[in-house]
Amino acid sequence: MVDWFTETLHPHFRQQLSIDRLLYDSRTTHQRIQVFENGTFGRVMTLDGVVQVTENDNFIYHEMMSHVPILAHGAAREVLIVGGGDGGMAREVLKHRNVRRVTMVEIDAGVVEFCKEYLPGISAGAFDDPRLELVIADGAAFVAETERRFDVVIVDSTDPIGPGEVLFTDTFYGRAKRCLNPGGIIVTQNGVPFLQGDELTNTMRAFKALFADWTCYMATIPTYAGGPMAFGWGTDGDARAVDMATLRQRFEDAGIKTDYYTPEVHAGAFALPGYITRLLP
Ligand code: SAM
């Protein structure tokens, strides 16, 4: 008899993954954490009943949310990750040797400790990198108070439910912008627009008011079910206009092995279909 994990994030659409072996199911001070093994995706972690990361498809999400802004920027030294408790985003950002410091602000220490133990392959040693500074705090409070400035801000949050809700507000976005260096870029996990269109529209409305260049870019991650996922993009600089020859050179100089990101995929990800552009303000 196979048990099934059923994700009930969306009102009229559910996805199920077989629980081939349940490894953990408990609560931290903030969220319910489950980890189980699945024959297709490897180990799967969920928070409050929503798939967060899987061993076998996380590369798409983490490569696209890290290498796109960092290679577009071209000289990122200070990177802020808000959320990212599994360590996958830190793993990819730290592959950039020119990045001097990664400040990771994660609200739930339990997620970090837990992923270190049950999903070590996701962080792949990132938590031991001397350039990583882990701050256990609410990301919204951090951006309101920090004196630090960043070249890239990556909002690797849960969906706008529970502790993640505050990371989808105009106040948060305005305070995150305050933390950007000149030419700095913010990118956000903005859900699957076919099912969560309002989430993208709301973020883009805030970005339109805040940034000279605002849009989103796309990638499809199998376990973020419902079609391509959107990543919000906001900057006052011209990083999005980087030409292909420069992007290719930067990618080559970075010497990073990827399984999804390429300079061509980077450029193509910003080409939006009609049903997405109609969600933009
Ligand atoms: N890739 C996933 C996705 O697209 O939904 C996100 C993965 S990561 C595990 C999400 C992290 O955001 C979790 O570790 C969660 O604890 C953290 N988080 C949620 N709300 C937060 C907040 N207000 N401040 C900082 N971290 C937060």
Side-chain angles (χ1 to χ4, degrees), residues 31 45 47 50-53 61-62 82-86 105-108 111 137-140 156-159 162-167 189 224 229:
Q31 302 163 108
M45 177 186 69
L47 289 176
V50 179
V51 172
Q52 297 299 307
V53 67
Y61 173 85
H62 291 122
V82 176
D86 51 67
V105 182
E106 163 59 52
I107 199 167
D108 196 334
V111 174
D138 180 338
D156 178 15
S157 71
T158 44
D159 288 284
E165 195 166 0
V166 71
L167 304 180
Q189 183 278 98
Y224 299 157
M229 169 175 261

Side-chain angles (χ1 to χ4, degrees), residues 207-229:
F207 279 24
K208 181 176 183 179
L210 285 168
F211 297 106
D213 178 33
W214 57 276
T215 186
C216 64
Y217 60 103
M218 313 295 292
T220 300
I221 297 97
T223 51
Y224 299 157
M229 169 175 261

